[in-house]
Amino acid sequence: MRPHRDDGPARRDWRDVLTDATDLAVLGIALTLAALPVLTAAAAVAAASAAVHDRYTVGSWPSARENLTRYGRALLPGAAVSVLAVAALGLLAVNVAALAGDRVPGGAPLLLVTVVVAAALAGYAALVVVEVGRRGGRGWREAAHAATGACRTHPGTWAAAGGVGAVAALLAVLVTPVALPILAGYVVAALHAVARRVALTPVGES
């Protein structure tokens, strides 16, 4: 009998894909529930991003206890981030609604510029979320600085992250409300996939 030879890593089959899809759906539901009080939204996103980072780098999901620990320690620093994010989204929504309804001068050209700016901001915010995940769900200020550098040195990744945000926004409008929590988990995973080849900063302790 010939000795067994390892020809490389085992191929993933449909069961692995189904398991990952289920895990991301559960992650999205947990993220949504944890973010419902609004002020906890940033903490929920940080913990979810850290969990996805672990899945990509370590090959397994963190324990429930680790997720809860990350969520808890991100609550206080994430409250200000949540307020800032909600204010920015509200301002953009008001501007887009006013331009689309012809209530302010500028029309279609200014509406297009506003949408492009929104996509750029979404791409930047997406890279911040990825970097927070790489840091174990902590360090929003440091993550913001790292994302700024990544936008400058890797504009393609910045644009791709903005594209993920735009597609996510479109899907959020098209899908039924009950599917929105599931979508959230896939969006976080997509952002990490887009930014995976870009080392924003050395990965911190997770």
Side-chain angles (χ1 to χ4, degrees), residues 38-51:
V38 180
L39 287 179
T40 62
V45 170
S49 181

Side-chain angles (χ1 to χ4, degrees), residues 82-203:
S82 299
V83 171
L84 180 61
V86 170
L89 286 173
L91 182 60
L92 283 172
V94 169
N95 287 339
V96 170
L99 289 169
D102 293 327
R103 292 193 293 271
V104 296
L110 189 54
L111 176 61
L112 178 61
V113 171
T114 303
V115 171
V116 171
V117 170
L121 291 175
Y124 170 73
L127 294 181
V128 173
V129 168
V130 171
E131 177 63 10
V132 166
R134 290 174 173 177
R135 293 171 174 269
R138 293 182 291 183
W140 285 102
R141 182 174 298 180
E142 293 81 1
H145 287 306
T148 300
C151 291
R152 184 175 60 254
T153 58
H154 298 85
T157 301
W158 181 15
V164 171
V167 172
L170 178 61
L171 290 176
V173 174
L174 297 178
V175 302
T176 59
V178 71
L180 290 179
I182 297 175
L183 176 64
Y186 287 103
V187 171
V188 176
L191 295 178
H192 276 266
V194 165
R196 194 174 181 183
R197 296 183 180 181
V198 178
L200 303 186
T201 62
V203 177

Side-chain angles (χ1 to χ4, degrees), residues 31 125 159 166:
L31 189 165

